[in-house]
Amino acid sequence: MRTLCASTLLGEFFVIGFAGLVAMKSDDLSSTTVWTVCGIGMLLSVLLCGVITRPGGVQLGWALQIALVASGFVVPMMFILGVVFGGLWWASVHYGRKIDEVKAGWAAQEAAQAPAGT
């Protein structure tokens, strides 16, 4: 699960950065505001890569997905990209857990087949 989720989060890192560049065109927002918000989002996406397997890591990832969709109020294209990354996040968590279960099954099977003396 960790690899799939981290890949999604790193993709979001770049999308958040590019959304910041688009948001800079808005006359209503200062560059300090844009880069503070984008910087926090980018930092969270990288930090979540390291804590995704810990308790609450997946829930924090969902919170980031919601924030990504909500950023569509500033950059309208982010509504679409937020939904796309929300789907990728769901797939990463869902299929990542299935892969982890299969790997655990293989490890248990190998341990059962190993000779007792080794």
Side-chain angles (χ1 to χ4, degrees):
M1 179 173 82
R2 182 180 178 142
T3 303
L4 290 174
C5 290
S7 299
T8 301
L9 290 167
L10 289 177
E12 288 181 12
F13 173 85
F14 291 107
V15 168
I16 294 168
F18 291 133
L21 292 173
V22 173
M24 289 294 296
K25 290 184 176 183
S26 174
D27 294 333
D28 299 336
L29 303 170
S30 70
S31 62
T32 305
T33 303
V34 169
W35 290 115
T36 300
V37 172
C38 288
I40 290 170
M42 292 169 77
L43 181 66
L44 284 175
S45 67
V46 170
L47 291 177
L48 274 172
C49 291
V51 298
I52 197 64
T53 56
R54 295 183 184 228
V58 173
Q59 289 77 11
L60 287 172
W62 279 115
L64 183 62
Q65 305 314 310
I66 292 167
L68 205 61
V69 173
S71 69
F73 290 108
V74 178
V75 179
M77 186 62 176
M78 291 305 291
F79 283 125
I80 296 167
L81 289 173
V83 169
V84 167
F85 273 97
L88 286 172
W89 182 252
W90 175 85
S92 298
V93 171
H94 179 75
Y95 292 111
R97 286 182 175 157
K98 285 189 175 194
I99 291 168
D100 289 347
E101 290 172 7
V102 169
K103 284 182 179 180
W106 287 345
Q109 186 178 20
E110 283 185 20
Q113 292 176 353
T118 55

